[in-house]
């Protein structure tokens, strides 16, 4: 994935009724796994929830380019998921991000069901001269995405292999060196897929 490909990176916040949790997760897993197996341009997808009830869900998706996103949007599995979501999603927020840095362990992944993976989602206001310090937050990660909304507002998504690794990374302590204006979310991963050899250059 080269910079001229203009990758599409988006973050979705979806709120559902907790009684729909199992069906919502099932439909989401089908969408992710099928897309991963059939769409080379669908580079990374991850479905997470912020609490055990499953009410608040964050989904982030990375596509090679706009054409790859259109392939996914027209796919049968996404159309099925979208139809289901229309009936179950109570609130939706979509944020399109400018991906600036991408770090992964370069392995293809297909994670579903019970798994140890966890994620952190950081929204931070940052002086431009401190942007490089964000790399401190991405140690021992399986994948890390650094994006911005504008010059001062950044979103960092880190995937950790397990909760102990995330705790040992001491994100909150490191943030004190970077900014005092931030929101930090800890997320349980329900499903995650990744193509191999993701490099942004």
């Amino acid at each position: 994935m080269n910079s001229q490909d203009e990758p599409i990176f988006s973050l979705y916040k979806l709120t559902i009724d907790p009684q729909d949790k199992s069906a919502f997760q099932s439909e989401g897993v089908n969408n992710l796994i099928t897309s991963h197996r059939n769409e080379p341009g669908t580079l990374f997808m991850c479905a997470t929830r912020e609490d055990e009830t499953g009410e608040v869900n964050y989904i982030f998706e990375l596509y090679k380019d706009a054409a790859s996103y259109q392939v996914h949007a027209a796919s049968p599995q996404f159309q099925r998921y979208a139809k289901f979501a229309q009936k179950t999603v109570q609130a939706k927020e979509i944020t399109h991000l400018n991906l600036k840095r991408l770090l992964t362990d370069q392995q293809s992944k297909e994670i579903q069901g019970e798994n140890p993976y966890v994620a952190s989602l950081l929204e931070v206001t940052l002086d431009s001269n401190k942007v490089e310090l964000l790399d401190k937050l991405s140690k021992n990660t399986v994948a890390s995405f650094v994006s911005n909304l504008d010059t001062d507002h950044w979103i960092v998504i880190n995937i950790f292999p397990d909760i102990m690794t995330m705790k040992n990374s001491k994100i909150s302590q490191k943030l004190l060196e970077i900014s005092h204006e931030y929101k930090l979310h800890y997320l349980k991963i329900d499903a995650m897929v990744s193509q191999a050899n993701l490099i942004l250059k």
Side-chain angles (χ1 to χ4, degrees):
M1 179 178 62
N2 298 316
S3 57
Q4 63 262 32
D5 291 325
E6 296 184 8
I8 305 296
F9 188 43
S10 299
L11 171 65
Y12 300 81
K13 180 181 179 182
L14 306 178
T15 304
I16 65 168
D17 188 320
Q19 70 179 1
D20 294 324
K21 172 184 172 182
S22 294
F24 180 78
Q25 289 177 349
S26 178
E27 290 294 334
V29 166
N30 178 66
N31 179 40
L32 267 65
I33 299 297
T34 305
S35 301
H36 174 64
R37 294 177 180 177
N38 297 332
E39 303 167 6
T42 297
L43 302 180
F44 192 97
M45 304 175 82
C46 190
T48 74
R49 53 188 155 88
E50 192 161 22
D51 55 45
E52 284 303 315
T53 68
E55 181 179 6
V56 179
N57 300 267
Y58 290 91
I59 299 169
F60 35 96
E61 302 176 345
L62 175 65
Y63 302 92
K64 180 180 178 181
D65 49 30
S68 298
Y69 172 76
Q70 291 303 323
V71 168
H72 173 71
S75 68
Q77 74 275 5
F78 176 74
Q79 292 296 319
R80 170 177 162 169
Y81 174 75
K83 186 175 181 180
F84 175 82
Q86 283 182 343
K87 296 183 290 186
T88 56
V89 173
Q90 299 175 334
K92 177 171 64 174
E93 298 176 24
I94 304 174
T95 306
H96 300 294
L97 303 170
N98 301 308
L99 185 61
K100 297 298 184 181
R101 287 204 290 281
L102 165 63
L103 302 172
T104 77
D105 61 8
Q106 305 305 309
Q107 302 297 313
S108 176
K109 289 184 176 55
E110 190 172 289
I111 308 298
Q112 59 178 307
E114 286 299 318
N115 68 84
Y117 292 91
V118 292
S120 64
L121 168 62
L122 170 67
E123 305 170 56
V124 60
T125 301
L126 196 64
D127 292 336
S128 58
N129 61 348
K130 291 186 176 182
V131 171
E132 295 300 324
L133 295 176
L134 292 175
D135 288 342
K136 289 186 174 184
L137 309 177
S138 303
K139 304 298 182 184
N140 301 314
T141 56
V142 172
S144 178
F145 304 85
V146 178
S147 308
N148 70 340
L149 299 170
D150 54 47
T151 305
D152 299 322
H153 298 93
W154 293 77
I155 291 183
V156 180
I157 298 169
N158 284 325
I159 309 294
F160 295 92
D162 52 62
I163 193 167
M164 188 57 64
T165 302
M166 182 170 70
K167 287 181 177 179
N168 289 340
S169 70
K170 300 180 180 179
I171 299 173
S172 296
Q173 293 180 27
K174 292 176 181 177
L175 274 170
L176 295 178
E177 305 173 30
I178 299 173
S179 175
H180 293 283
E181 296 182 62
Y182 66 86
K183 293 180 182 178
L184 183 60
H185 309 267
Y186 294 112
L187 309 172
K188 171 63 179 173
I189 292 177
D190 290 321
M192 178 174 64
V193 295
S194 176
Q195 303 289 359
N197 302 315
L198 297 184
I199 300 173
L200 181 67
K201 57 184 180 179

